[in-house]
Amino acid sequence: MESMEIDRGNTPPGGEKGEELKQIILVLIGLPGSGKSTFCEEVAKVSSRPWTRVCQDAIKNGKSGTKIMCLSVAAAALEDGKSVLIDRCNIDKEQRADFLKLGSSETEKHAVVLDLPNSLCISRSVKRSGHEGKLQGGRAAQVVNHMAPKKELPKLSEGFNRIMFCYNEKDVKEAIKLYGSLRLCDSLPSGCFGQKSLDSMVQVGIRSFFKKQDTSGNAKSVPEDSGNQGAEAGSHTAGDALEKKGKFDKVVVTTSTSGSTASCCIPTLAFPSISTADFQFDLEKASDIIVEQVEEYISRIGEAKLVMVDLSHGSKILSLVKTKAAKKNIDSNKFSTFVGDITQLRSGGGLSCNVIANPTNREIKPGGGGVNAAVFKAAGFELEVATKERAEKLAAGECVIVPLPSSSPWFGAEGVTHVIHVLGPNMNPKRPDCLKDDYTKGCKILREAYSSLFEGFVSIVKSYGNEDQNGKRTAPFVPEKNKKSKGSSSPLSKSGVNNQNQVEQGSTTKTWNPWAQALHKIAMSPGNHKDVVLEVSDHVVVIKDSYPKAQQHLLVIARCHGLDSLADVSGEDIPLLKEMHDVGLKWAEKLILKNKSLEFRLGYHSIPSMRQLHLHVISQDFDSTHLKNKKHWLSFNTPFFLDSVNVIKQLEEDGELRLGNESFFDGVLRCHRCLSVNPNMPKLKNHLRSCKYPLAVLIQSGYLISSEGKYR
DNA sequence: GTTCTAGAAC
DNA sequence: GTTCTAGAAC
């Protein structure tokens, strides 16, 4: 876990008794005259931590000694609970190796490289007088010139936890400030910092580095996403980063014999209107919701299809939906209406639908006179048994996916593989749970019901897909009788109930409450949220955070399906993360142009509250009425907040991310500038208004974007 | 994520 | 008494 955060313990300045001591071996690396001794003196002067300086030039009663002496003194100091500064040139790997063997596995091994220009080192060492090692005057120049070519920069692989590179006096000052501010229990983020090298991501000009990468280049070409609409569909690269787990852009469907496209093999969901029959929901309102939800989900089902079915020819709801869908230009190849018996679609109407939605009752039992009774009758007792295994009851707005046993008559006769039972809102006073004309609640529940239903269908579609090595789904969809249904792995809660809030994440299921879906909805249908959207592209949406925690707080939201949070991110998402970073950086710069005092940090919450991967672009004033509680503060000011640069770096180097956890919310309220501890939020906020201390660690780590440079 | 509010802390 | 936190509900 890398972060700006110095303190990993919850301690007031100076630490407290009994707290974990973080010992450090700090190996200074630099030519004579590079400023190693000054560095040590300055750190020791301001630090509250006990440091022992181990200086080879003065180790023998003020005179020059040997490396072995240094090792011995350092070992004794560490034994004594002190941290040590190894003040010798340590110019190559071999020189450093023995010092890295000191201490325990708990001891942090740091290097500070004072890689100042040779000319400066020579000039300083020549001019100095009273040098401990008597290396001054003309001989000093000789020594520096002799040593310079042997200089071997340190690497983490030598055994360092952290390496910090300084190239000028400003860098050195920052490093002194950083180490000088470390208290007993503090530790610093691991990794290389400040290195001048293009292959180091913690660099000035990271943006231009990103730009050199073809952000679309390593995504494979994918077929056009016919589900995207308007501005979203313009680019032929639209699918690049969107081609994701869970996304089903193009299903190449062939029959096993002829290889020709066969509609009978395309996953299709047949659904009747929910709640408009016995539950007496207003038809106009219901049709609006149906079309809205179809529009939202149609881009997620690839070539799978949705068919709305009604038994009667004069069905008003069917007609309303048909008209409204046409007005919205919803692809009629993917969504259509059908008049017929939902239990006999294939045999009676030649329409193969492998998934049937059943508007059921609270107990999910046969009964009533409508579709529910007909479905249970057609599917036989097998459906009742299979349903009972999954859920006993449903709440309004929820659904449950039931894989149909192959012994069910419906399976053989109609090719139905799954039934999705769904319960809508009831507006009929003669039935239980009547909402008594409360259409605010009713619409919300009906929307949830369709959303749950379609989300369930998406999960079934996913379960049918077989991916080849390129991640393309090529296998035909054939409901084999003997094929073990993966429907059982559909997102189900303990109760067996599914709703749109549950999403598979790797082997686990993450629950997203309805309130946590707002960003997801914006990402999927930015056109419906024009009031809040600042920018839309094929892969990202930018919005202002509705509850900003600072003067400026934007979110760059990924538009990719299947990327709910960092937990879903893998190496293949690096181009998308870089694009998000670039967009975030662009907005930060734009805002800085308007207000030069703003400083920004770009990063992700380890465990976000809101669904859909989003990058925070947040100014570091934290001046906002919406910053109210401890969690707000700690989520941006502990390693729970992962800097975008670091996320990308970790993925590139390790192929995986080290996420923070909620234990950070137990921490103290420490000012991110001066590191002072504040007893509560109001006091912290009051303190923040006046604290002008520079954001030393952020600057040093290269995480801060300010008017003085993208990364100072 | 926010809002509301009981009750703990001051 | 007021301030502040934290848990429940949404």
Side-chain angles (χ1 to χ4, degrees):
Chain A
M1 168 80 45
E2 285 110 15
S3 161
M4 51 65 70
E5 181 75 355
I6 284 184
D7 188 2
R8 292 180 180 182
N10 305 328
T11 60
E16 284 174 354
K17 272 185 187 175
E19 280 172 324
E20 198 186 347
L21 176 68
K22 313 260 186 184
Q23 276 183 296
I24 299 172
I25 299 173
L26 174 52
V27 179
L28 274 302
I29 297 167
L31 295 167
S34 59
K36 300 184 294 297
S37 296
T38 310
F39 180 98
C40 295
E41 283 161 12
E42 293 292 320
V43 167
K45 204 193 292 177
V46 296
S47 179
S48 61
R49 164 193 288 263
W51 287 98
T52 293
R53 175 186 167 218
V54 180
C55 174
Q56 190 162 337
D57 286 337
I59 200 156
K60 208 164 72 178
N61 294 325
K63 290 182 183 169
S64 188
T66 63
K67 181 180 161 190
I68 291 171
M69 286 176 182
C70 294
L71 285 164
S72 160
V73 170
L78 288 165
E79 195 69 27
D80 204 23
K82 292 174 178 163
S83 291
V84 293
L85 293 152
I86 308 298
D87 180 6
R88 59 197 295 277
C89 294
N90 299 307
I91 215 77
D92 60 32
K93 187 178 170 184
E94 198 184 330
Q95 287 285 326
R96 302 184 282 261
D98 290 329
F99 291 97
L100 292 171
K101 291 174 191 158
L102 296 174
S104 67
S105 57
E106 300 295 309
T107 312
E108 300 247 337
K109 317 276 167 62
H110 294 192
V112 168
V113 185
L114 303 177
D115 196 10
L116 281 79
N118 292 356
S119 55
L120 179 65
C121 296
I122 291 169
S123 114
R124 278 180 183 169
S125 52
V126 168
K127 285 180 196 162
R128 69 192 174 189
S129 60
H131 180 248
E132 291 163 315
K134 303 280 185 269
L135 186 63
Q136 53 200 56
R139 197 175 71 87
Q142 244 183 338
V143 172
V144 174
N145 278 325
H146 177 71
M147 284 176 90
K150 297 179 181 170
K151 193 168 64 181
E152 187 185 355
L153 293 178
K155 291 178 182 160
L156 292 173
S157 56
E158 288 176 37
F160 289 109
N161 304 103
R162 177 188 172 92
I163 303 172
M164 198 166 169
F165 292 85
C166 302
Y167 297 102
N168 52 47
E169 293 199 47
K170 192 181 166 204
D171 291 348
V172 178
K173 273 189 185 167
E174 295 292 352
I176 290 170
K177 197 186 283 178
L178 179 64
Y179 278 94
S181 68
L182 284 182
R183 285 140 311 153
L184 274 173
C185 48
D186 293 337
S187 63
L188 287 169
S190 304
C192 279
F193 296 87
Q195 188 170 19
K196 275 186 194 167
S197 158
L198 262 186
D199 50 17
S200 164
M201 297 294 288
V202 190
Q203 271 305 302
V204 173
I206 189 168
R207 186 177 181 194
S208 48
F209 174 80
F210 286 169
K211 295 235 162 178
K212 283 177 189 159
Q213 316 285 313
D214 179 2
T215 54
S216 63
N218 59 355
K220 298 161 196 91
S221 86
V222 292
E224 279 185 16
D225 183 356
S226 56
N228 281 345
Q229 298 143 23
E232 303 146 49
S235 163
H236 61 270
T237 63
D240 290 356
L242 299 177
E243 175 77 357
K244 269 299 301 172
K245 41 201 169 231
K247 177 117 178 146
F248 212 149
D249 283 314
K250 189 84 173 175
V251 189
V252 179
V253 184
T254 58
T255 61
S256 54
T257 50
S258 67
S260 60
T261 301
S263 65
C264 66
C265 296
I266 296 173
T268 304
L269 167 72
F271 66 96
S273 176
I274 301 168
S275 289
T276 49
D278 281 358
F279 288 177
Q280 299 179 356
F281 200 96
D282 178 82
L283 298 186
E284 282 288 349
K285 290 185 173 71
S287 56
D288 283 340
I289 291 169
I290 293 165
V291 174
E292 166 204 305
Q293 290 298 312
V294 166
E295 190 184 23
E296 182 171 336
Y297 277 88
I298 209 150
S299 62
R300 297 183 52 191
I301 56 171
E303 283 211 350
K305 294 183 176 189
L306 303 175
V307 181
M308 186 173 169
V309 178
D310 199 292
L311 190 57
S312 79
H313 274 282
S315 163
K316 192 176 174 196
I317 185 73
L318 214 57
S319 148
L320 284 169
V321 167
K322 203 173 171 181
T323 310
K324 289 176 183 178
K327 267 188 190 168
K328 288 201 168 193
N329 292 322
I330 290 177
D331 185 350
S332 57
N333 286 319
K334 296 177 80 177
F335 172 66
S336 53
T337 55
F338 188 86
V339 177
D341 181 350
I342 200 165
T343 65
Q344 295 179 26
L345 290 172
R346 188 162 83 180
S347 57
L351 183 68
S352 279
C353 297
N354 59 301
V355 183
I356 307 287
N358 177 36
T360 191
N361 46 47
R362 286 185 306 175
E363 290 76 27
I364 332 175
K365 281 186 176 163
V371 175
N372 182 59
V375 163
F376 272 104
K377 190 178 172 194
F381 189 60
E382 287 85 351
L383 177 61
E384 276 186 65
V385 174
T387 301
K388 259 189 194 164
E389 282 173 6
R390 297 188 170 266
E392 295 282 339
K393 276 185 177 175
L394 274 186
E398 288 182 340
C399 77
V400 58
I401 303 167
V402 181
L404 196 62
S406 55
S407 52
S408 160
W410 221 12
F411 189 107
E414 299 291 328
V416 176
T417 62
H418 292 80
V419 173
I420 305 179
H421 298 295
V422 57
L423 182 63
N426 173 39
M427 310 311 259
N428 181 352
K430 291 177 187 164
R431 287 191 156 272
D433 300 330
C434 175
L435 292 174
K436 294 174 188 163
D437 268 351
D438 181 355
Y439 269 98
T440 309
K441 207 168 182 183
C443 287
K444 184 170 171 268
I445 295 173
L446 190 64
R447 195 170 280 117
E448 282 173 10
Y450 278 105
S451 183
S452 301
L453 169 64
F454 295 152
E455 193 73 52
F457 180 57
V458 168
S459 77
I460 294 170
V461 170
K462 277 163 72 177
S463 79
Y464 277 126
N466 296 320
E467 291 186 10
D468 68 12
Q469 286 181 333
N470 295 321
K472 304 273 167 36
R473 293 160 193 270
T474 54
F477 165 66
V478 180
E480 300 164 41
K481 283 200 176 188
N482 295 329
K483 185 173 170 181
K484 192 174 178 184
S485 169
K486 290 188 184 173
S488 57
S489 67
S490 296
L492 293 167
S493 69
K494 281 177 191 168
S495 66
V497 174
N498 178 49
N499 61 32
Q500 82 275 27
N501 312 325
Q502 291 178 329
V503 180
E504 281 182 19
Q505 278 192 337
S507 58
T508 60
T509 298
K510 162 85 183 177
T511 300
W512 296 98
N513 286 312
W515 51 258
Q517 307 275 3
L519 302 183
H520 177 73
K521 286 187 190 297
I522 292 170
M524 295 309 137
S525 330
N528 294 346
H529 303 86
K530 284 177 182 156
D531 50 332
V532 293
V533 170
L534 298 174
E535 177 186 342
V536 191
S537 70
D538 292 336
H539 304 155
V540 302
V541 181
V542 183
I543 62 163
K544 272 192 177 189
D545 194 301
S546 305
Y547 299 90
K549 305 300 182 293
Q551 281 184 40
Q552 294 294 345
H553 186 182
L554 308 185
L555 301 177
V556 181
I557 313 169
R559 299 194 57 207
C560 185
H561 291 296
L563 273 190
D564 288 343
S565 72
L566 280 185
D568 300 314
V569 165
S570 62
E572 68 186 87
D573 302 309
I574 291 171
L576 174 65
L577 295 177
K578 286 181 174 176
E579 187 174 342
M580 290 172 75
H581 181 96
D582 254 4
V583 171
L585 193 54
K586 181 186 78 185
W587 276 94
E589 287 168 348
K590 198 187 261 188
L591 293 164
I592 287 169
L593 276 180
K594 287 185 188 165
N595 179 354
K596 286 201 168 55
S597 71
L598 294 176
E599 298 168 295
F600 281 89
R601 205 172 164 197
L602 309 185
Y604 300 86
H605 281 153
S606 291
I607 307 164
S609 299
M610 305 293 281
R611 178 180 179 193
Q612 198 64 19
L613 182 69
H614 54 281
L615 172 73
H616 291 270
V617 178
I618 184 163
S619 62
Q620 293 300 295
D621 47 84
F622 292 103
D623 175 9
S624 165
T625 52
H626 297 291
L627 184 81
K628 289 177 177 170
N629 61 43
K630 211 172 166 182
K631 187 177 175 182
H632 289 157
W633 177 254
L634 296 171
S635 70
F636 288 102
N637 290 286
T638 63
F640 186 84
F641 187 81
L642 302 173
D643 286 280
S644 165
V645 171
N646 239 343
V647 165
I648 294 164
K649 186 175 157 226
Q650 269 187 32
L651 275 176
E652 289 192 324
E653 289 180 357
D654 308 334
E656 59 180 16
L657 292 174
R658 295 181 294 282
L659 301 179
N661 57 56
E662 294 186 343
S663 66
F664 289 114
F665 300 151
D666 297 331
V668 292
L669 297 170
R670 196 184 289 285
C671 169
H672 62 322
R673 294 181 181 275
C674 70
L675 307 178
S676 64
V677 175
N678 293 265
N680 54 45
M681 280 305 290
K683 294 219 165 56
L684 171 69
K685 292 187 74 177
N686 197 37
H687 167 83
L688 292 175
R689 278 179 212 117
S690 59
C691 185
K692 302 292 177 220
Y693 207 83
L695 289 159
V697 183
L698 291 178
I699 294 165
Q700 199 56 55
S701 306
Y703 297 146
L704 198 68
I705 302 155
S706 76
S707 60
E708 294 185 29
K710 287 163 198 158
Y711 299 98
R712 282 192 288 171

